[in-house]
Amino acid sequence: MSIEVRQLNKNFGAFSALNNVSLDFPTGELVALLGPSGCGKTTLLRIIAGLENPDSGTVLFHGEEATNVHVRERNVGFVFQHYALFRHMTVFDNVAFGLSVRPKETRPTKLEIKKRVHELLELVQLDWLADRYPHQLSGGQRQRIALARALAVEPKVLLLDEPFGALDAKVRKDLRRWLRRLHDELHITSIFVTHDQEEAMEVADRIVVLNKGKIEQIGSPDDIYNNPASPFVYDFIGQVNLFHSRVDHGWAHIGDYKLPAPEFSSVNNQTAIAYVRPHDIELTQENIEGSIPATVSHVSTAGSVLRIELTNKLSDDVIHVELPRSQERSLDLSVGAQVYAKPTTSKVFLQR
Amino acid sequence: MAGSISNLGHNTAAKKNHSAGIRGIAKQSATSEARWIRWSLISIAMLFLALFLILPLVIVFTEAFAKGMGVYVAAITHPDAAAAIKLTLLAAAIAVPLNVVFGLAASWAIAKFQFKGKQIVITLIDLPFAVSPVVAGLIYMLLFGAQGLFGHWLMDHNVRIMFAVPGIVLATVFITFPFITRELIPLMQEQGKEQEEAAITLGANGWQMFFRVTLPSIKWALLYGIILCNARAMGEFGAVSVVSGKIRGQTNTMPLHIEILYNEYQFAAAFAVASLLALLALVTLVLKSALEWKAAREHEIAVLTAQAQ
């Protein structure tokens, strides 16, 4: 089922959580709402679920107005950050809850409920935990049970509020891959909220980047990473080097250095910010055309890439560079060594 | 690191002093007091308990049976005593369920909703604890008494509140209101509303949410509140004494009846009825500790759950 929201506004006192937000969530997609805390992503999710009312604007389910439909009737599956499992019920009863509260006419028989619950527990690979209580489970197991519980009512939409936010890094990685596979299996329209850009990149078909209650960019993970639409997105997605510059006729001048900015060929001397990703920088030992002279100040070899910090004359901040480990041998990267850094890709945003 | 160093120092000091006979100090751990302080504090506490709590309780029962079993049975089966017991049970039977409903509603509103003046409501709920029960009784007198605000209207419509059962129930409800809310509000605030939200997204209606999700998670605290509320409802003297009019056999509750018997020098009878209230107190205490134990276990589980998260 597709979801649309139109011109949503929501204020909490003087704080504007959502500012004229309009979005489409096509059927069967897994969409991530990504942004820093306080950007309105959870509010948006809760409004779609019906747990919160917008001050103005509409929510459409499958093209039909749903703004005033009660949560109960929206048929959404909601997964909470802290699981919200019913503490005093067994895993089985938790998963069965949605079916057992149905009115008599539509409630499945006990036997059917039992069958369905075990199917779902098998789907989340936790059938052997049916008789346990939530406090006897690990965090990752709890969140899978919460997901099974949400899926039990056969929701048309699955809404997940920072579903992996409370888990350890390792479990989080496993679980998000698992969620991706589950989605590929079920193809249910899903929206999940996260502040972790890596998580959004790995799991989502599409990412909506939110900031201060507004949409910054909508696009595929590739799109968002490779063509950030705004300085905010550039900053928020991945690590980045930032240079204050002046743009003049297609070039961004940073001190006596310049980066190409062909899209601003007709711009006349305006302040701008240039962004360069750490992995979009080449290092050489000899001075080549278009490179920045710099000194190695720190090298970290812990991890799959070399992380190098360079002091330089262009800015007070160090330049972060990431190189494949294979370069370790071909370059002199001892602290204090002179190197030349050449940005291969950069992006310039004019400052208003 | 610092701990181990000081420990080493402590051990050598202890060894040195061993022969000097300062064994007690060597054994004393860093966080506890000297033995004599511990023992004197414990003795003071025990002495106080014995003198002010256990002794009176023993006296109540010995005095009650001082003139034999016959007098005891006669005292508590006397029509006036029986009426007082009945009235006390009736008042509690009405006041406690009312306060369960009010208490749940107020706690729910405070714990789950945001609204203006919430802090004032929380403060007001504790008012019955802050104000003297006699004042509470007088307030009802001023409202519903013959000379009171609604007195004439009530008289015209032939409704009796003062010096009758409704007045006693009102006063009891007022005095015992905070017992349940005080137990529930902190617990419900701590639990938040995620479980309830989960229940309604799964299609539960309001009643299903309340009876299948909310109530099971607060049941021990609620029971605890009910027991305290009931104990106070049966034992309340001040407020009830103002509004009851003390008509023997009609508007006398047990505490009032005890006072009257005592004032008439019927000590054995007074203590006999008093022994019933004392018995209630003991039963309340046992139930209370049982529930506390149960609630502590639940809390332990909740903490374990939270830690695993």
Side-chain angles (χ1 to χ4, degrees):
Chain A
M1 189 174 69
S2 67
I3 304 167
E4 296 161 53
V5 298
R6 293 279 166 267
Q7 281 128 37
L8 284 184
N9 282 291
K10 176 80 182 176
N11 298 303
F12 294 105
F15 176 73
S16 167
L18 290 178
N19 193 345
N20 206 20
V21 170
S22 297
L23 271 171
D24 289 337
F25 301 94
T27 307
E29 265 196 9
L30 178 54
V31 179
L33 298 178
L34 175 66
S37 58
C39 73
K41 54 193 192 298
T42 294
T43 307
L44 176 56
L45 194 77
R46 290 173 62 87
I47 287 175
I48 292 170
L51 291 170
E52 208 98 56
N53 286 316
D55 295 341
S56 66
T58 49
V59 178
L60 303 170
F61 278 17
H62 209 75
E64 276 172 46
E65 165 82 59
T67 321
N68 295 315
V69 176
H70 192 272
V71 198
R72 208 165 35 242
E73 267 97 50
R74 287 201 192 189
N75 205 1
V76 297
F78 202 99
V79 175
F80 296 82
Q81 179 176 6
H82 296 289
Y83 329 122
L85 291 177
F86 307 129
R87 287 198 284 166
H88 56 279
M89 289 184 205
T90 61
V91 164
F92 181 93
D93 290 336
N94 263 282
V95 178
F97 185 86
L99 295 172
S100 64
V101 294
R102 283 195 183 163
K104 266 218 173 76
E105 313 86 66
T106 52
R107 193 191 309 153
T109 63
K110 279 218 162 120
L111 212 67
E112 282 163 358
I113 292 180
K114 196 174 170 188
K115 196 168 151 257
R116 178 92 185 108
V117 170
H118 282 292
E119 274 169 22
L120 282 158
L121 288 175
E122 268 163 37
L123 180 74
V124 299
Q125 298 150 8
L126 291 175
D127 202 23
W128 49 289
L129 292 176
D131 297 327
R132 302 275 183 92
Y133 283 87
H135 67 89
Q136 296 168 308
L137 311 182
S138 72
Q141 288 171 338
R142 270 180 230 179
Q143 197 56 297
R144 275 146 75 187
I145 297 300
L147 198 63
R149 182 180 69 176
L151 289 172
V153 292
E154 290 171 350
K156 299 204 179 77
V157 211
L158 192 58
L159 306 172
L160 306 108
D161 184 11
E162 303 243 4
F164 316 125
L167 300 169
D168 300 340
K170 174 86 174 69
V171 182
R172 195 182 329 194
K173 276 197 172 163
D174 290 347
L175 215 52
R176 69 192 189 210
R177 277 177 205 149
W178 175 80
L179 175 70
R180 179 68 240 185
R181 282 200 304 274
L182 191 75
H183 183 265
D184 292 340
E185 225 171 285
L186 301 174
H187 280 299
I188 173 172
T189 310
S190 307
I191 306 173
F192 83 102
V193 156
T194 180
H195 62 262
D196 181 346
Q197 42 101 7
E198 203 185 311
E199 188 170 294
M201 293 282 166
E202 190 174 325
V203 178
D205 296 316
R206 249 167 16 115
I207 297 177
V208 177
V209 184
L210 287 163
N211 183 33
K212 294 182 181 157
K214 286 186 168 166
I215 297 167
E216 289 277 342
Q217 189 173 3
I218 307 170
S220 68
D222 285 353
D223 235 15
I224 300 270
Y225 192 85
N226 296 319
N227 303 305
S230 66
F232 173 81
V233 179
Y234 222 110
D235 244 344
F236 192 71
I237 311 288
Q239 210 191 3
V240 75
N241 294 299
L242 175 158
F243 300 96
H244 293 281
S245 65
R246 300 195 74 79
V247 170
D248 195 35
H249 294 102
W251 290 93
H253 296 270
I254 310 155
D256 53 4
Y257 182 76
K258 59 182 183 180
L259 279 169
E263 66 270 40
F264 300 121
S265 57
S266 56
V267 168
N268 220 333
N269 201 24
Q270 275 196 43
T271 54
I273 294 178
Y275 291 95
V276 183
R277 295 251 188 241
H279 54 72
D280 287 335
I281 297 175
E282 281 174 1
L283 286 191
T284 50
Q285 222 81 59
E286 61 276 2
N287 192 353
I288 54 168
E289 169 90 35
S291 62
I292 307 162
T295 314
V296 176
S297 65
H298 183 80
V299 181
S300 159
T301 54
S304 55
V305 291
L306 288 170
R307 289 171 211 278
I308 302 146
E309 289 173 15
L310 304 173
T311 49
N312 63 96
K313 278 186 288 181
L314 294 186
S315 80
D316 294 336
D317 296 325
V318 292
I319 298 176
H320 294 271
V321 182
E322 283 175 16
L323 293 178
R325 297 288 302 246
S326 56
Q327 299 248 341
E328 208 170 345
R329 274 160 280 137
S330 55
L331 278 168
D332 172 21
L333 292 173
S334 54
V335 172
Q338 173 80 36
V339 289
Y340 295 89
K342 183 177 163 56
T344 52
T345 313
S346 59
K347 176 86 183 169
V348 177
F349 291 99
L350 293 180
Q351 272 184 312
R352 268 145 279 164
Chain B
M1 198 57 184
S4 62
I5 289 172
S6 72
N7 236 341
L8 276 175
H10 186 89
N11 279 344
T12 39
K15 268 175 204 154
K16 265 186 211 160
N17 288 329
H18 190 76
S19 52
I22 315 182
R23 226 172 162 181
I25 293 174
K27 274 196 172 176
Q28 179 196 328
S29 77
T31 50
S32 73
E33 303 300 334
R35 184 172 287 187
W36 69 271
I37 297 183
R38 248 188 300 159
W39 282 109
S40 22
L41 282 177
I42 292 172
S43 326
I44 291 172
M46 293 312 271
L47 202 70
F48 184 86
L49 265 179
L51 208 63
F52 285 87
L53 294 172
I54 298 173
L55 190 65
L57 208 56
V58 173
I59 289 176
V60 167
F61 283 99
T62 46
E63 285 292 320
F65 291 102
K67 292 188 178 160
M69 197 66 191
V71 176
Y72 182 87
V73 173
I76 59 174
T77 51
H78 185 279
D80 287 352
I85 294 169
K86 254 188 227 159
L87 181 58
T88 298
L89 292 177
L90 177 71
I94 299 172
V96 173
L98 276 179
N99 271 337
V100 169
V101 175
F102 293 160
L104 276 171
S107 313
W108 187 286
I110 285 165
K112 315 264 173 181
F113 302 130
Q114 294 299 330
F115 55 90
K116 276 189 188 143
K118 189 159 149 176
Q119 209 50 49
I120 297 173
V121 174
I122 295 176
T123 314
L124 276 181
I125 282 175
D126 279 346
L127 185 70
F129 278 176
V131 73
S132 161
V134 177
V135 176
L138 282 174
I139 293 169
Y140 284 110
M141 210 59 163
L142 289 173
L143 282 177
F144 305 118
Q147 309 301 322
L149 210 53
F150 305 116
H152 281 293
W153 188 89
L154 289 170
M155 203 95 91
D156 292 346
H157 290 78
N158 213 10
V159 180
R160 278 196 72 87
I161 291 184
M162 286 302 105
F163 311 135
V165 177
I168 292 169
V169 171
L170 273 178
T172 311
V173 167
F174 177 84
I175 293 297
T176 57
F177 179 63
F179 283 100
I180 288 173
T181 50
R182 284 184 75 112
E183 292 303 321
L184 293 186
I185 291 171
L187 181 71
M188 288 171 97
Q189 277 178 331
E190 191 186 310
Q191 289 181 344
K193 51 183 181 184
E194 272 200 348
Q195 288 194 42
E196 277 84 7
E197 286 181 345
I200 52 168
T201 60
L202 290 167
N205 63 35
W207 291 115
Q208 288 170 323
M209 175 185 75
F210 178 74
F211 283 109
R212 299 184 58 167
V213 175
T214 309
L215 200 56
S217 62
I218 59 166
K219 63 181 173 202
W220 298 118
L222 181 62
L223 261 177
Y224 186 84
I226 288 174
I227 284 172
L228 290 183
C229 179
N230 181 59
R232 182 62 191 266
M234 291 190 175
E236 173 55 23
F237 179 84
V240 170
S241 110
V242 177
V243 298
S244 101
K246 299 177 190 168
I247 307 163
R248 257 191 221 214
Q250 283 180 37
T251 64
N252 255 356
T253 60
M254 280 165 81
L256 301 181
H257 187 63
I258 293 167
E259 194 212 14
I260 290 172
L261 290 175
Y262 187 83
N263 286 344
E264 290 170 350
Y265 303 104
Q266 303 185 42
F267 296 134
F271 280 110
V273 183
S275 73
L276 293 179
L277 280 181
L279 201 67
L280 168 76
L282 289 176
V283 171
T284 303
L285 278 181
V286 170
L287 283 176
K288 177 175 162 286
S289 340
L291 283 177
E292 268 174 354
W293 179 79
K294 191 85 192 163
R297 277 198 41 172
E298 293 258 309
H299 186 74
E300 222 170 88
I301 287 173
V303 169
L304 281 176
T305 316
Q307 276 170 354
Q309 284 172 6

